[in-house]
Amino acid sequence: MRHCLKIVFIILFSFVLNAQQNTKDSLLAIIDKHAGNSTEVDALVSLGRMYETQPDSMFLYGEKGLSLARKINYKKGEGDCLWVISGSYYFQQNYGEAIRYNLESLRVYQD
C-alpha cells in the first residue's frame, strides 16, 4: 500500500511541476513581447507572486511592473506591483519596508 501511495504522489507531483513550468513559460513569453501594456504588467505581477521563495526575483519583477504600470498609468497594476514588492520585503524579514509598501499599495487601490 505504501508503495502505491508513493507512486501516486510522484505522478501527481510531476504534473504540478509541469503545469507550473508551463505557466512560467507563458508569462515570460508575454513579457518578452515588450508590448508595454497592462497585460505585461499583470504577467510581471504573476511571475513575482510565483517567486515567493526567492525574494530578490520577486522584487525584480515587482519593480519592473511598477515602472511600467506608472508609465502607462495603470493604477490596479501599480497597486499589485507594490503588493509584490512588499511581499519580497516580508520574506526578507524587513517588516518595516513591507508595511510601507503595503500602505502605499492600499493608497493606490483606494484612489
Side-chain angles (χ1 to χ4, degrees):
M1 181 67 174
R2 280 186 165 175
H3 185 65
C4 289
L5 287 175
K6 286 180 184 178
I7 292 172
V8 169
F9 178 74
I10 290 170
I11 291 170
L12 289 176
F13 189 69
S14 67
F15 283 124
V16 169
L17 287 179
N18 189 36
Q20 205 171 33
Q21 186 59 46
N22 289 341
T23 302
K24 280 183 188 177
D25 291 343
S26 297
L27 293 170
L28 288 170
I30 291 168
I31 293 166
D32 286 343
K33 289 180 182 178
H34 301 291
N37 57 20
S38 61
T39 303
E40 185 176 348
V41 174
D42 292 339
L44 288 162
V45 168
S46 294
L47 272 172
R49 289 178 177 164
M50 292 178 87
Y51 281 95
E52 286 183 343
T53 58
Q54 299 170 17
D56 292 340
S57 295
M58 193 176 189
F59 182 84
L60 177 71
Y61 287 120
E63 279 288 313
K64 283 183 180 181
L66 181 60
S67 175
L68 179 56
R70 286 179 173 163
K71 179 179 176 184
I72 64 173
N73 199 30
Y74 178 40
K75 291 297 183 183
K76 181 192 176 298
E78 182 179 346
D80 291 346
C81 291
L82 289 165
W83 183 83
V84 168
I85 294 168
S86 76
S88 73
Y89 281 116
Y90 173 81
F91 288 112
Q92 294 176 48
Q93 299 180 350
N94 187 341
Y95 302 119
E97 285 297 301
I99 291 170
R100 185 172 76 80
Y101 276 93
N102 266 321
L103 290 174
E104 191 175 345
S105 176
L106 177 62
R107 182 189 52 76
V108 170
Y109 286 135
Q110 287 175 333
D111 289 345

